[in-house]
Every structure is written in C-alpha cells, then in structure tokens.
Amino acid sequence: MSVVEHVKDESPSGPLLYEVIRSLWPLHRTVVRAVERELAGTGMTAGQHAVMDELHRGGPRTVPQLARLLGLDRQPVQRLVNDATALGLAGSTPNPEHRRSHLIRLTPAGEAAIRAIQDAEEAELRRRLSDLTTGEVRTTLHVLRRLGEEFRDLAQDAPPHPTDRGDDPR
C-alpha cells in the first residue's frame, strides 16, 4: 500500500495519566539532588540555580515575578535572591515601573557562573540521554507543559495558602 494512513492514538487512560503525575515528585526530588551534587563547592543551592537560570533566560525581574515563574511564594524567593546577592552573583537595580519592587539582575560573575554550570549540565544531559530522539524530547516537553497548564488552572481555584500575599504583580 503506497498511502500511509495516519491514525491518532486514542486518548490516554486515567491510570496512565495518573502514573505520569505520580512520577513527577520523585523525579523532581532526584533532579534537585543531582543539581545540588553538581553545585557542590560553588556555594550555590539548587534554589539559587533556579533563580539565576530565570534571570539568565529572561533578564532582570522583580522578586514577585520570579516567584510566579518558579511557582514559589515570594518570601523564599527573596531569601534565595538575598543569598545570591551575598555571593556576588546577583544585584538589584531600580525598577522604572515600581519604586518599591527593585529589578533583580545577574552580576557579570553571576552570568559567568550560570553559563559555566549550564554548559556542564547540557553536556552531561546530552551524554546520558543520547538514546532519546529530538521528537521524544519535544513530546515530553509538550506533555509537561500541558500538565503545567492544567495544574495551574486547578491551583487558581484552590483556597489561598496561608503564606500567599497580595503582592504587586510588577
């Protein structure tokens, strides 16, 4: 037969989808432990790495913006920023849009540190995951983003957590 028939897979079952969700927490913890191992001796934590990655990727941001991007409360992100600042990796500049909420930016030392860490991490990922195809990784990314969208919607309907505050979104 010269014509290939494309049939879309059936929708996944509830138990299969739940197995994906069930796999995320241990995966997250394992990734954090691996990142912490890679950061040993740098003085940085996995949380500071996450903040620096967001600043490297998106440029200067306010603490509330970083907190939203990372899915964390503002107070722990402020502590991570303070620690990165104490290490000379980040600093603050005035925010032209909001007087009280400064923009957090990477210092040149912070840019160099996160770039070196990411280069090493990317090389390790390419080495360890060389059996995956680009298509498989794109599909995985699509599924994770869809899960994120749906769970963000669910979280918005949840009652506020006691540590949530009505910070200015800028």
Side-chain angles (χ1 to χ4, degrees), residues 95-144:
N95 181 353
E97 296 180 22
H98 194 270
R99 256 194 335 236
R100 293 185 314 167
S101 189
H102 287 83
L103 291 171
I104 309 305
R105 57 162 179 73
L106 290 177
T107 63
E111 282 284 352
I114 195 66
R115 208 171 23 252
I117 290 166
Q118 287 176 337
D119 288 348
E121 288 171 338
E122 286 178 18
E124 186 72 9
L125 285 169
R126 278 192 308 272
R127 185 180 73 74
R128 290 180 175 266
L129 300 174
S130 63
D131 61 318
L132 297 177
T133 67
T134 299
E136 290 171 324
V137 174
R138 286 179 203 260
T139 298
T140 302
L141 191 54
H142 171 75
V143 170
L144 290 173

Side-chain angles (χ1 to χ4, degrees), residues 23-156:
S23 300
L24 291 177
W25 179 250
L27 173 62
H28 171 74
R29 294 298 310 144
T30 301
V31 168
V32 169
R33 283 193 299 273
V35 168
E36 287 172 343
R37 184 179 62 83
E38 294 299 317
L39 294 174
T42 66
M44 287 176 51
T45 65
Q48 290 162 351
H49 177 286
V51 166
M52 291 176 62
D53 178 60
E54 280 299 334
L55 293 172
H56 178 70
R57 194 166 62 99
R61 311 277 176 99
T62 65
V63 169
Q65 288 170 333
L66 287 167
R68 275 192 306 282
L69 288 166
L70 296 170
L72 298 171
D73 291 333
R74 186 193 59 76
Q75 294 88 346
V77 173
Q78 183 65 63
R79 284 191 294 276
L80 293 169
V81 166
N82 292 348
D83 293 343
T85 300
L87 291 170
L89 303 172
S92 65
T93 58
N95 181 353
E97 296 180 22
H98 194 270
R99 256 194 335 236
R100 293 185 314 167
S101 189
H102 287 83
L103 291 171
I104 309 305
R105 57 162 179 73
L106 290 177
T107 63
E111 282 284 352
I114 195 66
R115 208 171 23 252
I117 290 166
Q118 287 176 337
D119 288 348
E121 288 171 338
E122 286 178 18
E124 186 72 9
L125 285 169
R126 278 192 308 272
R127 185 180 73 74
R128 290 180 175 266
L129 300 174
S130 63
D131 61 318
L132 297 177
T133 67
T134 299
E136 290 171 324
V137 174
R138 286 179 203 260
T139 298
T140 302
L141 191 54
H142 171 75
V143 170
L144 290 173
R145 285 179 174 157
R146 281 289 292 120
L147 286 169
E149 290 168 9
E150 294 305 320
F151 277 88
R152 268 189 296 283
D153 285 349
L154 286 171
Q156 287 177 356

